[in-house]
Every structure is written in C-alpha cells, then in structure tokens.
Amino acid sequence: MIKPEKTINGTKWIETIQINAEERATLEDQYGIDEDIIEYVTDNDESTNYVYDINEDDQLFIFLAPYALDKDALRYITQPFGMLLHKGVLFTFNQSDIPEVNTALYSALDNPEVKSVDAFILETLFTVVDSFIPISRAITKKRNYLDKMLNRKTKNSDLVSLSYLQQTLTFLSSAVQTNLSELDRLPKTHFGVGADQDKIDLFEDVQIEGDQVQRMFEIETQVVDRIDHTFNSLANNNLNDTMKFLTIWSLTMAVPTIITGFYGMNVKLPLAGMQYAWMLTLGISVALIVAMLIMLKVWRKM
C-alpha cells in the first residue's frame, strides 16, 4: 500500500506498507527508484545498514524493529524497515507492517520540534529504539514469575515459556546491538556531514537510548540464561537422585530373588527339609539386605 503524500516541513514523504508488485512498478515508473533498491529495502532478511549513493545522492537507512509473533507468550522476532532519501523525497518502507514503526513515524510527524527531514529520521529511530524497552520490562516480569513458579514446582509448560524468553532475547538483543553499531556509525557518514548542534544532540540522544536498551537486554539475557542453567542442574540432580534410588531398590530386590531362586530348584539343598525352611530363607534374605544397605551407607553410596 502506498499512502497519500505528506510533507515534512516542505519535504515530500511517501509512506509504503506491504507493497505488492504493482506498487513496486509505480515506485519505479513514477518516482524513478531503481528496482534493485526496492528489492533491497523490502527484503525481510536484511540487517541494519546505511548506504549512500554518491552518483544519485541517495541515502538508504535499514534498521531492525521488534515484531510480535505472540504478544501474550512474549514471542518476538525482528523485522527490518527502511527509509530512503531519493531526489529530495523521503520514502519509508514497512514491508512487515510493524506497529512500532508506524507509531514511530507518526510520532515524529506530530512532534513540533521536528523541523527537518533529518530530524524526522532521527526522531523515528529514537522512538523505534525506545519501543524495545516495554518488551524488556515485560520479559523481566515474566522471568520473575517463571522463577517463582519453577522454584515451587517444575512444569514442562513453564520450561517452554522460559525457552521462548531465551529465543526472544536472542533475536532482540542481537537487533539492539546491530542497531546501536549503526547509530554509532551514522555521525561519521554522509548523513552526519555538516551537522548542526540540534542534529548532533539528536545523534547523542539516539545513541544514549540505544546504549541503555542494549544494557537492559544484556542483563536480562544473563539472568534468564542463569535461571535456565540452574534449573537444568536441578533437573539433572533430581534425575541422579531418582536413578540412585532405583539402583538401590533394584539391588535390594535382587537379594531375595537370588536366595529364593536357589531354594526353588528341584534338587536337595542344605536345610531344605526343615519344617520352617521358608523362614530361614526369609531371614537370610533380610540379613543380606540389611548388610548390603549398611555397606552402601558406609561407602557413602546412599
């Protein structure tokens, strides 16, 4: 979808969301955007990048934003969105229709302090970076809940939820890191050449916010990994205790089986003719079981 043209202090803004083949052709024919650029900026597998075409004087920004697969389960991945400055016109590409990106764009548009297209781009990036924070806080709340539940009783559903948190943190922390690397590089690119004080301040604001978000996700990733490691260790210890109990129980049950097996043979055995021979075999079994348990206790196997 290509939305109607808007203006940012005199600069045209063309907003696109989930464009199809026909709309791609419109962008090529009507606005002269190269087909390769459109393919690049709408590729859902692209990573964060900034490209400046010195021949066309085009500037292309690719950044990653959080994309919810299941908000209730806190299952997130990241998807790219693009901004292209082409022949004095700003084009934005939100091929995955990411709500956070739409919110960031219109928040920048409605901001009275945004007085240039460069400020619009930086304000948009600031809001997108900021959109990771509520997710991080939700992950912290979910992690605290799972930690409490797993301490009471380990359930498979809780372990699956913990695994989902790890997957989400892997996607988001990687995206935050790559976004921050590009934000740190932007002032040194053509986009940062000749920046005035207002633009320099915006660069610093976005970088500071990116640093904060990165630290939040680093800490959260470490805590969740440690919780997972702890419960893996507990599960292994519980399994070891169970196997230990079963081994001792098997050894205990093997003793009477051996004794009664001997006296169950159809041959003459010592003491087999006694009136209470079955009590004798029972006593021998009990004595051997007690002796074995004592030895295991002495050898610290119990």
Side-chain angles (χ1 to χ4, degrees):
M1 176 174 59
I2 301 177
K3 291 194 173 183
E5 291 185 4
K6 305 174 188 66
T7 59
I8 305 167
N9 292 319
T11 300
K12 287 184 180 180
W13 170 30
I14 309 297
E15 181 186 9
T16 74
I17 298 175
Q18 294 180 325
I19 56 175
N20 54 33
E22 182 180 348
E23 291 164 340
R24 290 169 188 255
T26 299
L27 292 175
E28 293 175 33
D29 299 337
Q30 186 172 341
Y31 297 101
I33 302 177
D34 190 77
E35 180 183 0
D36 292 338
I37 295 294
I38 296 176
E39 287 293 332
Y40 179 72
V41 81
T42 57
D43 186 353
N44 287 334
D45 295 323
E46 284 300 330
S47 185
T48 306
N49 199 8
Y50 168 81
V51 179
Y52 172 61
D53 187 343
I54 193 172
N55 296 319
E56 297 289 338
D57 195 30
D58 287 351
Q59 297 184 75
L60 176 61
F61 305 79
I62 303 289
F63 279 84
L64 296 174
Y67 182 79
L69 298 176
D70 185 346
K71 279 191 175 182
D72 294 334
L74 282 178
R75 297 193 66 186
Y76 282 84
I77 58 173
T78 57
Q79 291 291 300
F81 70 97
M83 293 182 283
L84 173 66
L85 280 171
H86 173 72
K87 295 181 179 179
V89 179
L90 175 66
F91 297 85
T92 59
F93 298 87
N94 187 5
Q95 195 63 14
S96 299
D97 195 11
I98 307 168
E100 288 78 3
V101 173
N102 295 328
T103 300
L105 290 170
Y106 283 93
S107 175
L109 182 65
D110 295 335
N111 189 338
E113 296 182 0
V114 172
K115 299 177 181 178
S116 67
V117 68
D118 289 356
F120 176 86
I121 291 172
L122 289 173
E123 283 289 346
T124 299
L125 295 180
F126 180 91
T127 307
V128 169
V129 169
D130 207 42
S131 68
F132 284 86
I133 294 179
I135 302 173
S136 176
R137 289 172 178 163
I139 290 173
T140 300
K141 185 176 179 180
K142 182 74 170 181
R143 180 254 299 168
N144 289 333
Y145 168 78
L146 290 175
D147 191 15
K148 185 184 298 182
M149 295 303 296
L150 289 170
N151 276 316
R152 294 177 181 174
K153 184 178 181 181
T154 303
K155 296 181 181 179
N156 288 339
S157 59
D158 291 335
L159 292 174
V160 170
S161 296
L162 187 63
S163 175
Y164 286 160
L165 285 189
Q166 288 181 303
Q167 294 174 25
T168 293
L169 284 169
T170 298
F171 282 113
L172 299 188
S173 59
S174 175
V176 167
Q177 185 175 1
T178 55
N179 282 350
L180 180 59
S181 297
E182 196 61 34
L183 289 172
D184 290 338
R185 189 176 76 91
L186 269 184
K188 306 179 185 71
T189 64
H190 179 80
F191 184 66
V193 173
D196 57 19
Q197 189 58 47
D198 289 340
K199 190 172 180 179
I200 292 173
D201 291 341
L202 284 173
F203 274 129
E204 291 179 353
D205 289 343
V206 177
Q207 290 166 344
I208 290 171
E209 194 72 5
D211 282 330
Q212 179 185 349
V213 173
Q214 184 186 36
R215 286 195 297 271
M216 291 176 67
F217 276 97
E218 283 178 352
I219 293 171
E220 197 59 42
T221 299
Q222 291 174 6
V223 173
V224 171
D225 286 345
R226 287 188 180 184
I227 291 174
D228 180 67
H229 178 74
T230 299
F231 284 102
N232 281 337
S233 298
L234 288 174
N236 289 333
N237 287 338
N238 290 337
L239 178 62
N240 290 337
D241 290 342
T242 301
M243 295 304 297
K244 184 178 181 180
F245 171 79
L246 292 176
T247 300
I248 293 173
W249 184 256
S250 298
L251 291 173
T252 302
M253 292 297 98
V255 172
T257 302
I258 294 172
I259 301 302
T260 55
F262 271 114
Y263 279 90
M265 293 187 295
N266 292 323
V267 296
K268 288 188 176 183
L269 295 171
L271 308 177
M274 293 178 59
Q275 182 178 1
Y276 297 105
W278 68 274
M279 295 185 64
L280 178 63
T281 59
L282 182 62
I284 294 173
S285 298
V286 171
L288 289 175
I289 289 172
V290 171
M292 183 188 66
L293 293 176
I294 291 173
M295 285 188 294
L296 289 174
K297 188 71 174 180
V298 171
W299 293 342
R300 297 183 179 180
K301 299 297 183 180
M302 290 180 61

